[in-house]
């Protein structure tokens, strides 16, 4: 089978909202049947439910307004690749909860019909759900405010980056045994797509069943072009369709397994701040602070391919990951090329010096070459 296309977030959000609406409808049909507890006049309860249901349309409009404004702000101020607020589950869950509450109120009002009275539990449930929605809207507003502020945005990106790095570079590997010869070469023969995620459990099971080792040549976050060498199968035969079926591709990069995305986003923010249209070197230096911490983590780590073994300890899946030069090129080179502010050049040089103190011996040479260029650049300013 071909590589999987990641389910669009809009589709997943739509399915979640549909589930909320179905749950609200079912609850609205069941609630008027409650026979215990005090009773309330059905006319007043119906008017209350309809008022809440119609009034909630304003909450739905508020959610979409926040989503549009925050996404537009982030794209124009930070980077168009930063979609943390758009992809936050809180946005779509709040929207789905509001729709579910609308369906509950309308369905319950219709289900009451011409009954003279109804259990007081029905309006009580509606009020409790409304309080929950208010709490969700407050949390959503706070998250929206944080998304358009520089420091929280930089901190969130760095935190996501550290989480991915910790998962992909565990740091306790030993020297691996040699791999058997290559028997199958997997090539990408589809339109360009971004490798978002590797279904490791599925590929390990397939490799164990065929008694082979799969070596992925492309790391998550890379763009697969037609004719790209994607993977090799060592030690036996495994169909190309099986290997590609364990890859999830899409139109944009995600934080799922991409070790370079946090570096790319932080560098983008710094580059936009250094553009002639913005000219905000202080923002670039603030982004460099987070880049320094991530680079220091990478500099102190053993950057080797990620090896997954089966229950017997045999390597079944090897994923090639970015090396030290790729991290430096993404995080440092573009900024150093466009930086004309002494504040930024000095900040970048000082950051790399501190990274050098934490770096493994094999990483120092590339750091020294960049530090030498920054020293020359500093003397020319």
């Amino acid at each position: 089978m071909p590589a999987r296309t990641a389910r669009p977030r809009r589709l997943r959000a739509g399915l979640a909202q549909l589930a909320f609406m179905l749950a609200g409808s079912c609850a609205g049909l069941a609630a008027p049947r409650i026979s215990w507890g005090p009773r309330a006049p059905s006319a007043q309860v119906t008017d209350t439910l309809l008022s809440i249901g119609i009034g909630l349309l304003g909450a739905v409009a508020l959610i979409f307004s926040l989503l549009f404004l925050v996404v537009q702000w982030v794209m124009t101020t930070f980077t168009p690749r930063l979609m943390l607020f758009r992809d936050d589950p809180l946005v779509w869950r709040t929207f789905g909860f509001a729709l579910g509450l609308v369906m509950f109120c309308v369905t319950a009002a219709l289900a009451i019909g011409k009954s003279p009275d109804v259990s007081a539990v029905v309006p009580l449930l509606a009020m409790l759900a409304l309080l929950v929605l208010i709490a969700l809207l407050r949390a959503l507003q706070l998250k929206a405010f944080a998304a358009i502020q520089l420091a929280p945005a930089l901190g969130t990106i760095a935190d996501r980056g550290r989480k991915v790095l910790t998962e992909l570079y565990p740091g306790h590997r030993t020297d691996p045994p040699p791999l058997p010869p290559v028997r199958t070469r997997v090539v990408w023969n589809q339109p360009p797509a971004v490798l978002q995620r590797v279904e490791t459990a599925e590929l390990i099971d397939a490799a164990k069943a065929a008694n082979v080792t799969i070596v992925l040549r492309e790391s998550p976050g890379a763009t697969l072009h037609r004719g790209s060498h994607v993977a090799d199968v060592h030690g036996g035969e495994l169909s190309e369709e099986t290997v590609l079926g364990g890859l999830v591709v899409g139109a944009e990069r995600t934080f799922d397994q991409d070790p370079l995305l946090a570096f790319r986003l932080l560098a983008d923010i710094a580059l936009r701040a250094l553009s002639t249209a913005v000219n905000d070197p202080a923002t670039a230096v603030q982004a460099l602070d987070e880049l320094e911490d991530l680079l220091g983590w990478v500099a102190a780590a053993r950057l080797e391919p990620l090896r997954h073994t089966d229950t017997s300890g045999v390597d079944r899946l090897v994923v090639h990951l970015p090396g030290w030069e790729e991290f430096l090129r993404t995080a440092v080179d573009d900024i150093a090329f466009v930086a004309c502010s002494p504040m930024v050049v000095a900040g970048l040089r000082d950051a790399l010096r501190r990274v050098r103190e934490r770096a493994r011996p094999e990483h120092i040479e590339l750091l020294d070459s960049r530090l030498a260029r920054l020293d020359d650049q500093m003397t020319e300013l």
Side-chain angles (χ1 to χ4, degrees):
M1 59 181 172
R4 302 176 185 175
T5 301
R7 180 181 293 177
R9 286 178 171 82
R10 286 175 294 179
L11 176 59
R12 286 182 286 177
L15 293 175
Q17 293 155 23
L18 180 60
F20 274 110
M21 294 173 66
L22 290 176
S25 299
C26 294
L29 291 173
R33 300 177 182 272
I34 297 175
S35 58
W36 47 269
R39 311 293 291 181
S42 60
Q44 296 180 6
V45 173
T46 300
D47 291 342
T48 301
L49 291 174
L50 291 177
S51 298
I52 294 175
I54 295 173
L56 285 176
L57 296 178
V60 174
L62 173 64
I63 296 171
F64 269 109
S65 298
L66 284 175
L67 181 63
F68 174 78
L69 291 174
V70 172
V71 170
Q72 186 69 19
W73 172 276
V74 170
M75 290 182 64
T76 56
T77 306
F78 294 152
T79 168
R81 280 168 284 278
L82 182 58
M83 292 297 174
L84 293 177
F85 185 75
R86 183 203 67 182
D87 299 336
D88 197 305
L90 179 62
V91 176
W92 303 109
R93 289 172 184 171
T94 303
F95 182 66
F97 189 86
L99 292 179
L101 184 52
V102 170
M103 294 302 300
F104 171 80
C105 293
V106 174
T107 305
L110 295 176
I112 291 173
K114 297 182 179 180
S115 301
D117 55 25
V118 67
S119 174
V121 175
V122 177
L124 180 60
L125 287 175
M127 295 303 296
L128 290 176
L130 186 59
L131 290 176
V132 173
L133 179 60
I134 292 173
L136 289 174
L137 288 174
R138 181 180 182 277
L140 184 63
Q141 285 184 309
L142 293 176
K143 191 171 287 289
F145 293 150
I148 62 176
Q149 295 174 4
L150 178 63
L154 295 177
T156 301
I157 295 171
D159 289 341
R160 298 288 293 271
R162 279 186 285 268
K163 180 181 178 181
V164 175
L165 291 173
T166 302
E167 294 174 351
L168 296 182
Y169 298 99
H172 55 267
R173 305 183 183 95
T174 58
D175 293 332
L179 292 174
V182 176
R183 300 291 296 275
T184 305
R185 189 172 185 266
V186 180
V187 178
W188 183 259
N189 289 317
Q190 303 176 39
V194 176
L195 177 58
Q196 294 181 339
R197 189 173 68 255
V198 178
E199 297 292 350
T200 56
E202 183 176 319
L203 289 178
I204 290 172
D205 291 341
K208 182 178 180 180
N211 194 25
V212 299
T213 300
I214 303 172
V215 178
L216 292 181
R217 298 293 178 183
E218 299 286 355
S219 62
T223 300
L224 305 180
H225 299 277
R226 194 180 298 273
S228 297
H229 182 191
V230 177
D232 290 323
V233 178
H234 295 254
E237 299 291 340
L238 188 64
S239 67
E240 188 173 290
E241 291 76 13
T242 301
V243 177
L244 293 178
L247 308 182
V248 179
V249 299
E252 58 187 12
R253 298 170 70 169
T254 67
F255 273 105
D256 293 341
Q257 299 174 352
D258 188 345
L260 284 173
L261 181 56
F263 294 85
R264 179 72 274 159
L265 292 175
L266 292 171
D268 283 352
I269 294 173
L271 289 170
R272 183 158 296 206
L274 293 174
S275 66
T276 54
V278 179
N279 193 23
D280 183 10
T283 294
V285 172
Q286 197 167 346
L288 287 176
D289 292 338
E290 298 292 353
L291 274 172
E292 176 191 338
D293 184 72
L294 290 176
L295 273 177
W297 194 100
V298 175
R302 294 183 61 184
L303 304 182
E304 300 174 351
L306 180 60
R307 298 179 179 273
H308 296 278
T309 61
D310 58 15
T311 55
S312 302
V314 179
D315 285 341
R316 293 303 182 187
L317 177 63
V318 180
V319 182
H320 279 249
L321 298 174
W324 176 232
E325 186 170 6
E326 292 178 82
F327 283 105
L328 281 178
R329 188 166 57 244
T330 302
V332 175
D333 290 355
D334 290 340
I335 299 175
F337 180 79
V338 303
C340 298
S341 167
M343 179 193 303
V344 177
V345 177
L348 184 57
R349 183 183 60 180
D350 294 342
L352 290 186
R353 286 174 177 172
R354 289 188 291 267
V355 169
R356 190 183 188 280
E357 296 175 358
R358 302 168 57 184
R360 296 177 61 85
E362 63 267 23
H363 297 159
I364 290 179
E365 182 179 354
L366 290 176
L367 278 171
D368 287 342
S369 65
R370 283 161 173 81
L371 282 170
R373 290 204 300 266
L374 288 171
D375 289 336
D376 295 339
Q377 192 171 346
M378 193 66 188
T379 59
E380 296 174 359
L381 294 177

